[in-house]
Amino acid sequence: MSDTVPQEALILRKVALADAAACQALSRAVGWPHRAEDWEMLIDLGHGVVATLGEEIVASALWWPYGETHATLGSIIVSPAHQGGGIGKRLMRALLEQTQGRSQLLNATVAGEPLYARNGFVPWGSVHQHHGESLADVAPVLQPGETLRLGGPGDLPVLERLDAQATGLPRKPALEVLLACGECIVLERDGEPVGFSILRRFGRGHVIGPVVAANGGDAQTLIAHWLHERRGQFLRIDVPAETGLEDWLTRNGLKPAGPVTGMVRGEKPVPSGPARLYAVINQALG
């Protein structure tokens, strides 16, 4: 925190939808590309706090419930002008109090990882961001018996089942919002849904996520659909390191843009399979 501002002047209060524009300015100050609309989605789906000095919002911290046993934490930002004065510690204390009794998950930047480690979080993987303009010659390759079709609100039970297999978490509210604001495709094999992916507006262009599939080939098919449909446009995708998709994404125009470390405090969710998560919704929601 700035040396001229006493810690006692800082007030933490519940985040509200009306804070979206101020939070967007806060994220822009640390180089994040979120639009105000992106913040509105995050705030509407979750809970959390903002820190204020007078009328100015100088920090944010949100969380999202997944069932009764888990929560993801994210959008933890302290304004560059007020870093280094203990605000991050107060934000974490507030989030841990609000999510008490749940296992907590987050994706940590290099700068944030030491704070989370001091609060009992341990690494359990990494997520790699890729972005860029997709190349013109990429297109989905379907095998015999496979079809791609548009998904919609009527597919929510199918998507929820596949997503729960892949994540071990009940994420119905997030999927409902994504279906309302984005575009969805479903991969079927012999008439049976085996995977899906969702594309929506985000930041500088569009983001692909989540991507849920039974194997890497299916995941490439689901991603290639969007790369082909949006060729020449700016796209982003965040993939768990173990998916093995990074070289393929790079060859198709989506370059590496840096990793974050997945961390957990408590019990990790246990996916049941056979579906797997090949791209997260975003780094905050998981």
Side-chain angles (χ1 to χ4, degrees):
M1 183 185 291
S2 168
D3 292 337
T4 62
V5 180
Q7 179 72 247
E8 293 77 12
L10 186 79
I11 296 174
L12 265 60
R13 64 163 174 82
K14 181 180 179 180
V15 68
L17 271 177
D19 297 323
C23 288
Q24 192 266 341
L26 186 64
S27 59
R28 186 173 59 242
V30 295
W32 294 8
H34 298 56
R35 305 170 302 147
E37 294 91 338
D38 302 323
W39 272 99
E40 288 172 357
M41 185 187 84
L42 293 172
I43 295 169
D44 193 42
L45 274 171
H47 312 276
V49 297
V50 291
T52 63
L53 286 169
E55 298 297 316
E56 182 187 6
I57 290 177
V58 298
S60 66
L62 276 64
W63 67 276
W64 300 269
Y66 288 143
E68 299 298 322
T69 60
H70 287 78
T72 61
L73 282 53
S75 301
I76 302 168
I77 307 172
V78 178
S79 166
H82 300 289
Q83 291 176 3
I87 296 179
K89 294 178 183 178
R90 290 187 61 180
L91 295 175
M92 282 304 302
R93 186 160 61 244
L95 289 187
L96 295 179
E97 288 174 357
Q98 291 184 15
T99 58
Q100 187 174 7
R102 299 173 182 267
S103 294
Q104 298 118 348
L105 311 165
L106 57 79
N107 286 307
T109 63
V110 172
E113 190 170 347
L115 171 64
Y116 307 136
R118 289 194 296 270
N119 281 276
F121 286 84
V122 296
W124 74 306
S126 62
V127 173
H128 294 238
Q129 180 190 152
H130 284 249
H131 64 214
E133 295 181 0
S134 62
L135 302 181
D137 57 351
V138 63
V141 178
L142 295 172
Q143 303 302 317
E146 294 181 348
T147 58
L148 283 174
R149 64 168 177 82
L150 292 176
D155 291 301
L156 180 60
V158 169
L159 305 192
E160 186 181 6
R161 173 177 58 83
L162 291 170
D163 187 78
Q165 289 178 5
T167 65
L169 297 169
R171 307 202 300 177
K172 181 179 179 180
L175 293 172
E176 285 182 309
V177 168
L178 294 173
L179 285 172
C181 70
E183 304 172 55
C184 175
I185 54 165
V186 178
L187 175 64
E188 294 187 338
R189 184 173 293 113
D190 299 324
E192 178 69 21
V194 294
F196 71 94
S197 64
I198 296 176
L199 177 92
R200 72 184 189 282
R201 283 278 292 116
F202 176 83
R204 296 168 54 190
H206 289 79
V207 63
I208 303 169
V211 177
V212 171
N215 54 61
D218 288 357
Q220 288 183 12
T221 296
L222 288 160
I223 297 167
H225 170 84
W226 300 120
L227 299 183
H228 183 69
E229 288 288 311
R230 301 284 176 166
R231 53 193 179 275
Q233 299 181 26
F234 186 85
L235 299 173
R236 170 176 171 168
I237 189 168
D238 295 83
V239 297
E242 66 270 17
T243 60
L245 292 174
E246 292 187 69
D247 288 345
W248 179 81
L249 289 168
T250 300
R251 290 196 303 272
N252 286 291
L254 274 59
K255 307 299 184 184
V260 292
T261 300
M263 305 186 78
V264 61
R265 184 176 183 265
E267 299 295 324
K268 294 186 295 185
V270 181
S272 60
R276 293 176 55 197
L277 186 67
Y278 282 85
V280 300
I281 298 172
N282 62 23
Q283 292 182 8
L285 293 172

